[in-house]
Amino acid sequence: MILEMIKNIKNKKQLAIIFIIVLCVIIIGTVYYKNVIATAIDYKEAASCYEDYDYLKAYEKFNALGEYKDSKKRAAECSQKYIDHNFNKAIALMEKEDYEGALKLFKSLGDYQGSNQMAEKCQALLELDKQHSKIDPMYSQYYKIAHEYMTEYGKPKVKKDPDNKKSYVVCGVNTLNLIDFNGDGTEELVVGGKRNTDEAGEYAIYTYNSGSVLKIYEQQYNHHSGYYAFELLNNENGWQLYSGNTDRGELLSFDGNEFKTELSWENNADDKEAKEKIYRINGKDVSKNKYQSLAPNYYVADITGGFASPFNTCVVSSGSYSIYVGSHMSKSAALSLQSTYVLQTYETLKASHDRTK
């Protein structure tokens, strides 16, 4: 109809006026649509995103609307909602032990409500998970060994020492330690026990290799001056196992596969009936002075002479020596051995075992 009207107009001036009017209507309509209708649609879409909990998208849309209605206020509200939502989501991920996902969210939140500290905690827990994944298979196998000893000897029990009324002894499993003997990053398990107060008891050492546990040593507790102990020497060669007493014994080093004798000693100085005093190092006769300078049991004597009786600690250390006392202890030392050096280690191994199920 409009085209027909235009065809009937012969005056070019009138035609130009009509074109100008139509163009103005189009421009006004476009501006009106853009500034009123399209903006209203965008506002409605932003509100819809907010209702759907898509706070980031809602923020972007409200922010783009500038001063339109309450867009500025709602953009700020969406920003806070988005931060709150991510913080709560990070907490939920942390509770589900998704520390990696939680870490990313906490990092994005800056210092909001301690997010920096929470990020550090997640990072620490991630590192702990990595450690667990490395040690859990080994500790799980060690737990099975420890559990067998618990079944055979019973849990550690503090009892009066029958040979010394002032002393106490731990029966049942009284040795449970993790020691890296050769510094290769793999801890060995030292476990031992005694059934009664009047017996020395025994201990064994296990290592972990390619998914299997191997027994690499077993021995009775050393006996010195009325007490029983598991003894270690730490020097430039790493941890060495002390086995023996003041008359005879040996130092053994672990090479990753087995314990090998590094030093042996023997003497008959306390044998009053011996016609000839013998001092031997590594099977060879030596002078008394050389023997005393090489035989490590003389250092042990120095240690025992420097501590009151009974021992007020379950681990006696002096210089490079560590003596894990199995008897002749004060009550507090015996209770410490029971709880800290046995039951605590047992629970650590059990936790790893439970995680591998």
Side-chain angles (χ1 to χ4, degrees):
M1 181 177 179
I2 295 175
L3 292 175
E4 290 295 327
M5 291 175 61
I6 292 174
K7 289 180 181 178
N8 294 328
I9 297 174
K10 304 297 182 180
N11 190 311
K12 291 183 177 180
K13 186 175 181 181
Q14 290 179 339
L15 186 61
I17 293 172
I18 291 173
F19 272 114
I20 291 172
I21 293 172
V22 171
L23 182 61
C24 287
V25 170
I26 292 173
I27 293 172
I28 293 171
T30 301
V31 171
Y32 179 79
Y33 178 83
K34 183 178 180 181
N35 292 337
V36 180
I37 298 176
T39 303
I41 292 173
D42 288 343
Y43 183 88
K44 187 176 181 180
E45 288 179 353
S48 179
C49 290
Y50 180 90
E51 295 299 326
D52 291 338
Y53 307 104
D54 189 350
Y55 299 118
L56 179 59
K57 196 170 184 179
Y59 165 77
E60 291 172 347
K61 286 184 174 293
F62 278 126
N63 193 54
L65 291 171
E67 300 293 336
Y68 180 74
K69 290 187 176 181
D70 60 349
S71 294
K72 191 172 182 179
K73 179 182 177 182
R74 298 204 68 177
E77 182 183 354
C78 288
S79 176
Q80 186 60 48
K81 286 280 188 180
Y82 177 72
I83 292 172
D84 290 340
H85 174 74
N86 277 356
F87 182 81
N88 293 330
K89 185 178 179 181
I91 293 293
L93 289 174
M94 199 171 177
E95 290 174 351
K96 293 178 181 178
E97 299 184 359
D98 181 359
Y99 302 123
E100 190 169 354
L103 176 63
K104 291 179 181 178
L105 286 176
F106 281 130
K107 280 186 173 181
S108 71
L109 295 172
D111 60 355
Y112 177 72
Q113 291 192 18
S115 292
N116 286 335
Q117 289 77 14
M118 296 299 286
E120 290 175 2
K121 187 175 181 179
C122 286
Q123 187 65 56
L125 289 169
L126 277 172
E127 293 299 322
L128 187 61
D129 274 352
K130 290 179 182 178
Q131 293 177 21
H132 285 163
S133 65
K134 181 180 178 181
I135 66 173
D136 279 352
M138 177 176 67
Y139 278 13
S140 178
Q141 294 296 320
Y142 282 166
Y143 167 74
K144 295 175 183 178
I145 300 296
H147 185 67
E148 289 177 4
Y149 274 78
M150 286 287 186
T151 302
E152 181 177 352
Y153 290 95
K155 292 183 178 180
K157 295 180 180 179
V158 176
K159 295 185 177 183
K160 279 289 239 178
D161 192 331
D163 297 326
N164 188 321
K165 293 181 179 180
K166 296 180 180 180
S167 301
Y168 290 81
V169 62
V170 177
C171 293
V173 175
N174 57 9
T175 299
L176 197 60
N177 293 291
L178 293 162
I179 299 171
D180 184 358
F181 278 93
N182 62 335
D184 65 350
T186 298
E187 295 170 306
E188 278 69 50
L189 174 71
V190 183
V191 57
K194 57 189 295 179
R195 295 176 181 83
N196 305 305
T197 57
D198 57 352
E199 68 176 32
E202 58 187 11
Y203 66 91
I205 304 175
Y206 295 83
T207 192
Y208 182 80
N209 191 349
S210 302
S212 300
V213 173
L214 305 171
K215 182 188 285 187
I216 52 178
Y217 191 79
E218 59 182 337
Q219 183 62 272
Q220 284 197 330
Y221 282 89
N222 296 325
H223 181 264
H224 290 292
S225 305
Y227 73 91
Y228 296 94
F230 161 68
E231 304 171 17
L232 295 176
L233 173 66
N234 189 15
N235 55 28
E236 66 276 4
N237 299 317
W239 285 105
Q240 291 182 304
L241 178 63
Y242 174 100
S243 178
N245 52 38
T246 54
D247 296 330
R248 66 185 70 242
E250 58 184 350
L251 277 179
L252 304 103
S253 296
F254 183 55
D255 65 1
N257 294 307
E258 61 181 346
F259 277 97
K260 293 182 178 180
T261 301
E262 297 290 339
L263 176 69
S264 65
W265 62 92
E266 178 185 359
N267 77 81
N268 62 354
D270 294 332
D271 186 355
K272 295 179 180 179
E273 297 181 359
K275 294 181 180 181
E276 182 181 358
K277 299 302 181 183
I278 297 174
Y279 298 91
R280 292 195 179 103
I281 295 292
N282 293 333
K284 295 181 179 181
D285 292 335
V286 296
S287 66
K288 181 179 179 180
N289 288 338
K290 187 172 183 179
Y291 180 89
Q292 290 179 343
S293 69
L294 294 174
N297 54 287
Y298 280 87
Y299 302 118
V300 176
D302 290 340
I303 293 173
T304 57
F307 286 82
S309 177
F311 292 105
N312 289 317
T313 176
C314 51
V315 181
V316 180
S317 296
S318 179
S320 57
Y321 257 105
S322 292
I323 300 179
Y324 295 82
V325 185
S327 64
H328 217 57
M329 294 176 285
S330 66
K331 188 173 183 178
S332 61
L335 290 171
S336 177
L337 173 63
Q338 177 192 44
S339 62
T340 305
Y341 285 89
V342 177
L343 294 178
Q344 198 174 93
T345 302
Y346 185 77
E347 289 303 317
T348 298
L349 298 177
K350 185 178 184 299
S352 284
H353 179 68
D354 291 342
R355 282 192 294 266
T356 60
K357 289 181 179 180

